[in-house]
Each structure stands twice: as C-alpha cells, then as structure tokens.
Amino acid sequence: MIDTSKKEQKRSLIINGALKLFATKGFYATTIPQIAKFIGMSSGNLYNYFSSKELLAQEILKYISAHLAKEIRKINDSSLSSQEKIKAIVKIYFNTAQSQPEMIDFFLRVYLSNREVFRKGCEGMICVNEFVTEIMIFFDEAVAKGELKNQDFFSAFGLFMGYLGGMVFLNGEEVLNKRLDEYIDDISTNIYNALKSD
Amino acid sequence: MKLLWLQKITCNGNAHSFLNYPNLTEWMEDFEWVYHPLLPSTYSLKEIQSDIKECDILMIEGAIDREDSLFLELFYRYANEAKYILTLGTCATFGGIFAQAKDSIKGLHFDKENRLDEFGKFWQKSISLPGCPLQPQVLAGVLNAIKEGISIPLDKMHRPKYYYAYTVHNGCTRNEYFEYKIDEHRFGELEGCMFYEHGCQGTYTHNSCNKILWNSVNSKTRAGQPCMGCSEPNFPDDDLWRTKKNMGIPAKLPTGVPKRAYLSLAGVAKAFKIDRFYHPLMEDESE
Amino acid sequence: MSRIRVDLIEKIEGVAEVKYHIKDNRVDFAQIAFFDSRYIENILTGRVPLDALAITPRVCGICGHAHLIATVRALESATGCRVSKKAQTIREITLSLELLQNHFKWFYLSIYPLILNGANRVDGALEPSRVISEAIALIAGQYPHNSYAIVGGISTDITPIDIFELKDRLKYITKLFNKYIIDTDISEFSRCDKLEMMLSKSGDLPLIMQKILNNGWQSLGQSYDRFIVFGDSGIFKKGKSVSTRYQEHLDMRYIEEFKTPNSEAISIKYRGKFYETGPLARAMIMKRSLVKEAHRRYKDSLYTRILARVCEMPLLIQYIYDLIDTIDYSQPSWIDYKEFKQSCSGVGAVEAARGSLIHKIDIKEGKIIEYKIITPTQWNLGNSNKSNPSTAQKALIGNRADAPLELIFKSFDVCSVCTVK
C-alpha cells in the first residue's frame, strides 16, 4: 500500500522545486534532470509523479491558482466592503509577489509567455479556474450590492489583474521607486475608482 | 366529488387551459361541477351567489382584491364548507400580473413569496397550483389524488411535489447548450440555450413544463422562448428577455446550486470549445 | 308600466351585467356593465418594450394569441424591424388556428345551449379545441399563453416535420368540422350562397339555424348595420361598410374612447359613431355570398351574426392549408435587428375571433411610456346613453321582455376579460 500523505509530500516538494527553477530560468531552459537534482531525487523517480515537463508546469499553474483562490476566498467570506476587499486582494497579490516571488513570476514569465505549453490540458482558463471563480464571486457580490458598476466580466478582470501583473513585472525589472507593498493604498484606490458604481 | 370553480381577477387562462386535458370527458365522469366558468354546471353563478351549495373542493382562479367585500364574503362561505381549497394559477396563488396594478390585489395566501395570515385558518387545507396558466394535467392529477384519498407530498408553499419538485429545465431539448456553457444563442434557431443571454428562468423555476409536455407536444423553451418563470412568486419580473448579470455572471443560478459550484463547473465547461455545439443541427456533416 | 330587470350574463370569459329598463313589456333601454378592471395598460407602463410580448397574451385566456400578434406588430411598426415571409406565414397559421378554435368554443359553449333549451354538446368544443391547441403548440411551444412571436420573426426554427404534424391535425379538425358543424365539403360550403342548401345538410349549424327560424327569432338583434374591420391580412380586408356600402379608407385617429358610467369598461366610437366588428363585419366587407344572402333577408340580426361566424370556419381551414403550402423553409425564422430604436411609437391591428384588436405603443428612452389596447368587445358592447346607444344596446332595445335577450347579447360573443383589460 502506498502512503498517500507521503506521496502528497513528494508531489508538493517537486512542485515547489520546479516552480523556483521555472520562474527564474524559464520553461525551456529548465530540464527534468535539473529539477530532480535540485530537490535531490532521481529523474526516473520524478517521472513517476509527472510524466512530462508540460504536465508538471500545468500542475504548478493549478497549484498557484488554488493557493491564491484560498486566500481570496477568505476575503470573499468576510464582511468587508467591496472597497476594502479590493485592498485585501491587492495586498495578497503583492505580498505573495514579495514573499514567494516565484509564484507570480511563474504566472507572468511561464504561463503568459509560453502559451503552447498549456494549450492542451489547460484549455481556456481551466487551470486557473479556482482563482478566476473567486474573482467572479467577488465581482458578482460587489455588483449585486451596488458597490461596483455592472459591466462585462473581462473588462473589469483585465483592469484589475492586468494592473497588478504590470506592477509586479515593473517590480521585477527593478524600476519602481518604492517597495511593492508601499503601492497597495494608491493602487487599491485607483482600482476601486475605476470599477465603482456611478 | 363536487367542485366549485370561482373566479376573480383573471384572464380565464386556467379555465381554458384545463379544457385541453386529453381525456377531459372521461375524467369528468367522476366529478360534478357545482360551478365552472365555461363548462355546463349544476348551478348558475347567480344561484351560487345567492345560496350555499354543497362543495367538496373550492377552486379559486385569479387574484383577489382585498377591497372586494362581496367576493370575500362568497369565498368565506365556501371556504368554510370545502374540504380542500386549490389556488389555480399564479394569480390566485401569488398575485401574478394583476397584483402589480394595485396594492390590495394579492394571491390567496401569498403576496409574492410572503405568506399572509389573512386566511390562515384555511392554510392547512389549501394546495397551491401556480403557473400562468396551470397545466391541465396538474389540476386533473391533483383532483384525482384527492378523490382517491392519496396523500400528496407538498413543499413549504404547499405546491404538490409530484409537479413542482422539478424545474422547467428538466427535460428541455436545449439542455446540452446549457451544460457545456454555449452562451451564443440566436432566436429563430433550433440550437442554443436562452439561459446565458435571453433571460431563461427554467433552471430555477419550479414546474413540470418539460416533463409533462404542453398540449402533449412541446414546451416554450423547446420552441426557443425563455422560461419567464410564470409559476414563481415574483412573476412577472422586469426585463424578461434578458439575463440579469453582475459583471457577466448570471445573477440567478440553478436552484440549489452554490455560486462557487456553478462558476467552477461553468469555467471548466467553457474551457473546452466543443465543435458540435457551434454547428447548426441540420448542417451537412463534414468528412 | 316600467320596471328594472338585472341579468347576470355568465360564461362569457367572465361576467357582465345587463340592466334592462322595461316599459310596457318592451326593452326601453339596456345598460351594460363589466367589472374587475385589471389595468394591464398601466402595468406595462415603465417596462422595457419586449416585456409586452410576455404580458399582453395574458390579457385573455381565450384570445391571448391575437394579443401577442397585435403586440409584435405594434413593436415592429414602432421599430421598423424586418420579418421574413416565412415567419409572417407561420404567425398567420397560429393566429388563424386560434380564431378557428374560438369559433368552435363560442358555438358549443355559448350559443348551442341557448338555442336548444339548455341542451349541451360540450364535445363539439372540447375535441376541436384540444386538437387546435396542439397544432398551435407544435410551433409556438404551448397554448394558451406563449410568446413565440418576437420582434424580427419567431422564436424557433420550424422544420417540415413540425408542419406535417400540424397538417395531420388540420385534416382531423376538418373532419370534426364536418362531424359537428355541417356535413359538407369545406370548399363547397365556402361557395354556398343559398340558405336553403345550408339548411338541408346535416350538422349542428343547420340544426340551430332552423331552430332560430322555427322560433321566429331570425330578425331579432338588428343594430346599425355599420361594420368596421381594422386588421388587414390573409382572408380579411380592411374597411367599413355602412348599409352595405363599402369604404376602404380608415384612419385610426378617428377612434375615440370614452368612459361609461357604472361600468369599468371603456367604449369606442369611430368618427362619433358606433360600429360592429367581428365575423359579421368581416363577411360584410368581403361580401361573402351566404352571409350576404342572410343579410338581405334578416339584416344584421342574430341569425346573420351567428351564420357569419360559422361561415368563417371553413375559410380559415382552407386558408391554413394554403399557407402551409407557401412556407419557404430556406428563409430565416428570425432576422436580427441588432439594436432597437430607443424612442418610437407604433400600432398593431389584428383580426381576433371577435373582431378588430388594436395595440398602440409609445416608447421613450427604451421604456414603454404608454400602451393602449382596444378590444373587439369594446367596439360591440359599449355602454352609452339612450339617445345614442352602442351596437349591442341598440340590438337589445325594442325587444319584448320575454325575447331571447341573452342570445342577442351573446351573438356578439362577449369577451368580458378583454373589455376590462
């Protein structure tokens, strides 16, 4: 009998290791043997867990999506106002970018840059479904309460996430004058002002 | 079994709909119309109004204006007498269209979804049969069950579960387009689901329209019309041909389905663009 | 000696009350009252225009389909949206089916028992009604109360297999017409111009028409001999006929509505005069031979009125057969109008079973600001004063107190619910 919790631990170890390498070196420059070496296991054993590098990248994407979704869900379940929720979401995103930069970097530098890797297996937004679902719930409730303006989902989603992604990118390029978390207030206000109901 | 059919503020639609019951002549052999607004009856309306006649089941069609003391007096007389009271259609049950004209016009026990106490002493013997109009099979079936002494499971609004535990969505021929979240729908076509754009309320409307087909042949949604929720307490809503959405997310979801569950499933379904659903059903198949 | 007698008229899609002023045993005056206003026009005000398609059919449980068609025509005239020939044809089919059904119901539920001393032949109404409802539902989804006629066409596509099923039902309806109403070929009956020939056949039509003659009622219920038809499509022609003189031109601006005392109904006049609308009006304007013959003998009496209504049935059946053959399945069922004009107004007129039905809509900034419905019963059964009585009042006045007044009243086919719409 296989010890499932032990198997889970191993899986998680591989995902975290691969995430760091993919995020820093990029998808193509990273090889399975490098990942195996990085976490101290054999390539053969690693293949027992993930049959291909593409599949591993897709699993990482789902892992990041689930991680962010879990955090945003806490915000959705809270009694904060929509304006306060926006700030809380921005905070989570930027904090993650600072404390676990590989998560956001993977998203920006692997997922968005190497679409061919994800085409089969991550159709549409299926691998980021959990994250998108929580954002949808946030928008839906905010509009239902009359706090945000009703509009097309993607025009609001693009404004919100594109803005955050852009800031993390600039931060990564080291062109920002301030620390990322010092922008939380201004950026939250800008997003709220852009989305709030008339 | 003696049936008394009284009308108030109505279009007569339930009475006419009932005439379409496939074996009405045979069905009527076991019942007596003390009074029916269209069919031959034992008494005239004038006789019903002037004297108390025996009746087992009192049926009310139409919304009731609480300022109409003459009707209320007539209602009390027979409601006390009857073993069962049936509210036929959405007007009699919840108020319906005509309740939107005046505050004093309401359903018998409900003002939209709010239970009223006014006729509370009759609540236990009342059965709600909403629908605009009511399907003839529903009324014939409920009366058959009463006649045979079979107990009818009721929901909390006293709607018989045999008919109202279902949603209009159950059995719709356009279901696949809902399940795989094909949000393109154009009128005048055999394909497509009206839930995403055109206001279809079938997934959260309690009724059997696609289980017991209308006139034994069809249903509105099969024929490309959005379900307008005509058996629901809030019928008719505003802006009936357009789906209400918050940032593109349907404001009302299938009965009992949590938002998170719906959005997760919809997200997955949407991810796979399944070719078949984007082609007309009658199109030649490519090699 | 004068007295007042109040009759409650039942089974007319609701009830009405007629107050007879009887003087020297004759009807000196008759006041007609309808109750239970439903304020549909107010309910529509402030809504988005398309909501009318769902709400107006619910004005009436028996002629709701005519209301739907009137609404869609009003909306299309307001917005200028195009409709394919195919969609128009299919709408004509379902509307004609409703007329046919209403005629069966009226004949057996309202008229038959009154002429035959309370005898009933309910199957003559039930069987055809159910089959006709099925035929409508094949296309429109359900009956009563569908909204399948939408701005730009119809809600779904129609395939030949739907129409085959419809056609088989139409054949059955034709058989029922022969079984119940009159046992003669429908095209032969449509051409018939001799009352004696009609009376010599078997069926309930000859039966009741003969009974009217035997009772000596054939000249009762005459009115102004003034007729009006607003709907202009299919087998009907628009225009008016005054003492058999036909005039095509009509202008809706001459329609006046006025509130009448002691009734919740609103009466209608055209250029200050009352007109009769309905099957007799349509037959007079189209100069249908058998009806013309009856009119020559008995004027606009209950006899001619009843006959005119039944004579429409074979015409409608044939018309539906003809329409079926013209359907071009390659045409679109619905034409996308992209966007709706935000401010506009329009009128839709349709011939319903009981006569001309008119819907008027005014739209401003995407909302209905005024909706007006004028129903056939408002034309025929207005309530006016003694010096200028309405069409039905005039038909009642002057009769003996023991005359078949209820039959005269019901010969117009009253739709109470439409009157207090």
Side-chain angles (χ1 to χ4, degrees), chain C residues 3 16 18 20 68 71 74 128 160-161 178 186 299 352 363 404 418:
Chain C
R3 63 192 167 94
V18 186
Y20 294 105
L68 172 69
T71 298
I161 60 164
N178 292 145
I186 59 160
K299 304 274 291 285
I363 302 167
C418 278

Side-chain angles (χ1 to χ4, degrees), chain B residues 7-13 16-17 19-22 24-25 28 35-41 44-46 49 68 97-98 100-102 105 132-133 174 186-190 214-220 222-225 228 230 235-241, chain C residues 6-8 10-15 36-40 43 47-48 50-51 53-55 58-62 101 105 109 120 122-123 126 129-130 133-134 137-148 150 154-157 159 165 169 333-334 336 417:
Chain B
Q7 292 184 312
K8 212 43 213 175
I9 304 170
T10 178
C11 71
N12 239 15
H16 279 284
S17 179
L19 298 191
N20 293 326
Y21 184 59
L24 187 60
T25 311
M28 285 197 295
Y35 185 75
H36 184 281
L38 299 166
L39 295 167
S41 315
S44 70
L45 185 59
K46 207 163 186 171
Q49 287 174 343
D68 186 345
I97 291 186
F98 307 128
Q100 298 191 346
K102 244 169 105 184
I105 300 176
C132 187
R174 295 167 182 266
R186 273 173 58 93
F187 287 108
E189 290 179 358
L190 300 169
W214 273 92
N215 312 94
S216 311
V217 296
N218 209 351
S219 75
K220 285 217 285 265
R222 288 181 178 204
Q225 295 151 72
M228 306 263 173
C230 77
F235 175 75
D237 233 329
D238 279 326
D239 209 354
L240 291 159
W241 297 82
Chain C
V6 179
D7 284 5
L8 182 69
E10 302 176 26
K11 310 209 173 190
I12 48 167
E13 314 314 316
V15 295
D36 293 330
S37 283
R38 294 162 314 140
Y39 314 101
I40 281 276
I43 289 167
R47 281 181 168 268
V48 299
L50 290 182
D51 280 2
L53 295 168
I55 291 184
R58 272 117 175 158
V59 167
C60 181
I62 191 166
Q101 185 198 56
K105 280 181 175 171
L109 298 176
N120 275 304
V122 183
D123 282 351
L126 295 184
S129 293
R130 178 179 53 78
S133 294
E134 285 173 17
L138 281 168
I139 287 174
Q142 74 174 58
Y143 187 85
H145 292 354
N146 63 71
S147 304
Y148 96 108
I150 55 173
I154 57 174
S155 60
T156 189
D157 201 9
T159 63
E165 278 206 50
R169 282 176 175 81
S333 288
W334 181 72
D336 196 348
V417 295

Side-chain angles (χ1 to χ4, degrees), chain A residues 129 134 140 150-151 153, chain B residues 245-247 259-260 264:
Chain A
N129 202 12
E134 292 306 325
D140 172 70
N150 202 0
Q151 57 179 302
F153 170 74
Chain B
K245 286 189 266 193
N246 300 324
M247 297 269 193
K259 194 150 274 176
R260 203 162 267 120
S264 307

Side-chain angles (χ1 to χ4, degrees), chain C residues 230-290:
Chain C
F230 274 92
D232 194 3
S233 63
I235 53 171
F236 306 129
K237 197 164 82 182
K238 189 173 159 181
K240 60 183 181 143
S241 164
V242 180
S243 307
T244 71
R245 273 196 318 278
Y246 170 69
Q247 199 192 325
E248 195 188 336
H249 180 74
L250 290 178
D251 189 334
M252 289 210 195
R253 283 173 301 181
Y254 291 130
I255 297 175
E256 348 158 3
E257 294 183 279
F258 60 96
K259 184 99 182 77
T260 63
N262 309 318
S263 169
E264 295 187 23
I266 289 170
S267 303
I268 304 288
K269 284 182 192 174
Y270 184 80
R271 292 195 89 159
K273 289 192 167 103
F274 286 106
Y275 281 80
E276 176 170 351
T277 185
L280 177 55
R282 299 193 283 247
M284 291 304 291
I285 282 165
M286 299 291 279
K287 300 195 188 298
R288 303 276 184 214
S289 47
L290 193 62

Side-chain angles (χ1 to χ4, degrees), chain C residues 103-397:
Chain C
H103 294 352
F104 273 110
K105 280 181 175 171
W106 171 81
F107 187 83
Y108 282 105
L109 298 176
S110 288
I111 294 301
Y112 186 95
L114 278 179
I115 295 172
L116 297 174
N117 310 317
N120 275 304
R121 203 175 183 207
V122 183
D123 282 351
L126 295 184
E127 210 180 352
S129 293
R130 178 179 53 78
V131 179
I132 294 170
S133 294
E134 285 173 17
I136 298 173
L138 281 168
I139 287 174
Q142 74 174 58
Y143 187 85
H145 292 354
N146 63 71
S147 304
Y148 96 108
I150 55 173
V151 177
I154 57 174
S155 60
T156 189
D157 201 9
I158 299 298
T159 63
I161 60 164
D162 304 315
I163 300 298
F164 290 145
E165 278 206 50
L166 192 150
K167 204 167 171 180
D168 285 339
R169 282 176 175 81
L170 191 58
K171 283 184 200 159
Y172 184 53
I173 294 160
T174 313
K175 277 190 186 159
L176 293 174
F177 176 77
N178 292 145
K179 174 181 165 189
Y180 288 106
I181 305 284
I182 187 165
D183 191 12
T184 181
D185 179 70
I186 59 160
S187 60
E188 194 187 318
F189 181 52
S190 301
R191 284 194 307 272
C192 171
D193 59 358
K194 297 273 183 297
L195 291 172
E196 284 68 26
M197 195 188 287
M198 179 273 292
L199 290 166
S200 71
K201 303 284 179 187
S202 63
D204 289 334
L205 174 68
L207 178 76
I208 72 154
M209 297 319 280
Q210 188 60 55
K211 189 77 184 357
I212 293 173
L213 294 172
N214 297 348
N215 291 351
W217 294 347
Q218 63 273 22
S219 295
L220 301 180
Q222 294 176 5
S223 189
Y224 291 111
D225 208 4
R226 275 200 298 259
F227 303 99
I228 203 157
V229 174
F230 274 92
D232 194 3
S233 63
I235 53 171
F236 306 129
K237 197 164 82 182
K238 189 173 159 181
K240 60 183 181 143
S241 164
V242 180
S243 307
T244 71
R245 273 196 318 278
Y246 170 69
Q247 199 192 325
E248 195 188 336
H249 180 74
L250 290 178
D251 189 334
M252 289 210 195
R253 283 173 301 181
Y254 291 130
I255 297 175
E256 348 158 3
E257 294 183 279
F258 60 96
K259 184 99 182 77
T260 63
N262 309 318
S263 169
E264 295 187 23
I266 289 170
S267 303
I268 304 288
K269 284 182 192 174
Y270 184 80
R271 292 195 89 159
K273 289 192 167 103
F274 286 106
Y275 281 80
E276 176 170 351
T277 185
L280 177 55
R282 299 193 283 247
M284 291 304 291
I285 282 165
M286 299 291 279
K287 300 195 188 298
R288 303 276 184 214
S289 47
L290 193 62
V291 177
K292 243 175 67 191
E293 171 65 9
H295 183 266
R296 198 179 54 77
R297 292 196 205 176
Y298 313 121
K299 304 274 291 285
D300 53 339
S301 70
L302 66 89
Y303 185 96
T304 318
R305 204 169 284 125
I306 292 170
L307 183 69
R309 184 131 189 207
V310 178
C311 282
E312 226 172 58
M313 297 167 80
L315 297 173
L316 287 163
I317 292 173
Q318 190 54 53
Y319 180 47
I320 300 164
Y321 275 121
D322 296 344
L323 287 168
I324 285 173
D325 291 336
T326 68
I327 299 171
D328 175 357
Y329 294 97
S330 68
Q331 292 178 359
S333 288
W334 181 72
I335 297 170
D336 196 348
Y337 47 80
K338 306 284 187 242
E339 247 169 65
F340 230 68
K341 272 190 260 173
Q342 288 293 291
S343 297
C344 48
S345 52
V347 182
V350 47
E351 281 306 304
R354 289 158 195 75
S356 300
L357 171 67
I358 298 165
H359 282 211
K360 292 197 244 180
I361 190 167
D362 257 308
I363 302 167
K364 209 166 189 178
E365 287 159 10
K367 295 281 166 71
I368 298 171
I369 54 161
E370 195 179 12
Y371 203 100
K372 205 120 227 39
I373 300 173
I374 296 166
T375 65
T377 303
Q378 286 180 275
W379 283 101
N380 292 338
L381 291 115
N383 187 44
S384 180
N385 52 39
K386 210 170 144 182
S387 57
N388 185 19
S390 74
T391 303
Q393 283 176 309
K394 178 143 169 70
L396 292 166
I397 292 169

Side-chain angles (χ1 to χ4, degrees), chain A:
Chain A
M1 213 181 120
I2 305 158
D3 185 341
T4 47
S5 75
K6 206 168 169 196
K7 207 173 165 190
E8 262 325 296
Q9 274 177 21
K10 263 276 159 51
R11 247 180 84 88
S12 162
L13 185 73
I14 298 167
I15 284 175
N16 277 301
L19 173 54
K20 288 202 174 77
L21 292 184
F22 282 146
T24 45
K25 296 169 67 176
F27 178 78
Y28 290 107
T30 307
T31 65
I32 289 282
Q34 283 169 357
I35 299 167
K37 193 173 163 211
F38 184 65
I39 55 173
M41 88 196 283
S42 71
S43 298
N45 198 13
L46 197 152
Y47 278 115
N48 286 333
Y49 288 88
F50 298 98
S51 58
S52 73
K53 197 167 79 169
E54 280 76 13
L55 205 65
L56 179 53
Q58 292 176 4
E59 287 305 311
I60 291 171
L61 185 60
K62 288 184 202 163
Y63 169 78
I64 297 167
S65 161
H67 171 82
L68 288 172
K70 207 174 100 199
E71 297 300 318
I72 297 169
R73 182 169 177 166
K74 283 182 206 154
I75 298 166
N76 279 338
D77 291 344
S78 74
S79 55
L80 296 175
S81 71
S82 300
Q83 187 175 5
E84 290 162 336
K85 282 181 181 174
I86 288 176
K87 191 173 167 186
I89 294 169
V90 173
K91 207 166 166 180
I92 280 183
Y93 200 92
F94 284 179
N95 285 349
T96 306
Q98 282 179 311
S99 62
Q100 294 162 282
E102 64 279 7
M103 285 216 182
I104 311 294
D105 281 348
F106 179 90
F107 197 82
L108 300 176
R109 289 166 201 269
V110 180
Y111 178 54
L112 296 183
S113 315
N114 305 116
R115 300 294 297 129
E116 65 285 357
V117 174
F118 299 92
R119 198 143 289 147
K120 208 161 171 283
C122 286
E123 288 87 351
M125 299 205 288
I126 193 169
C127 293
V128 291
N129 202 12
E130 281 184 75
F131 168 72
V132 177
T133 294
E134 292 306 325
I135 297 291
M136 280 179 161
I137 288 172
F138 163 69
F139 279 151
D140 172 70
E141 285 169 358
V143 172
K145 280 196 282 185
E147 294 177 350
L148 296 191
K149 184 171 72 200
N150 202 0
Q151 57 179 302
D152 179 78
F153 170 74
F154 287 102
S155 62
F157 181 76
L159 181 132
F160 202 142
M161 290 304 140
Y163 193 2
L164 298 189
M167 289 304 291
V168 173
F169 177 80
L170 294 175
N171 186 53
E173 298 296 307
E174 294 175 356
V175 295
L176 296 183
N177 300 325
K178 295 191 277 187
R179 275 202 336 267
L180 198 51
D181 58 282
E182 290 176 84
Y183 285 94
I184 291 172
D185 278 343
D186 282 352
I187 284 173
S188 307
T189 306
N190 288 347
I191 292 174
Y192 175 69
N193 285 338
L195 296 178
K196 73 180 178 193
S197 56
D198 303 323

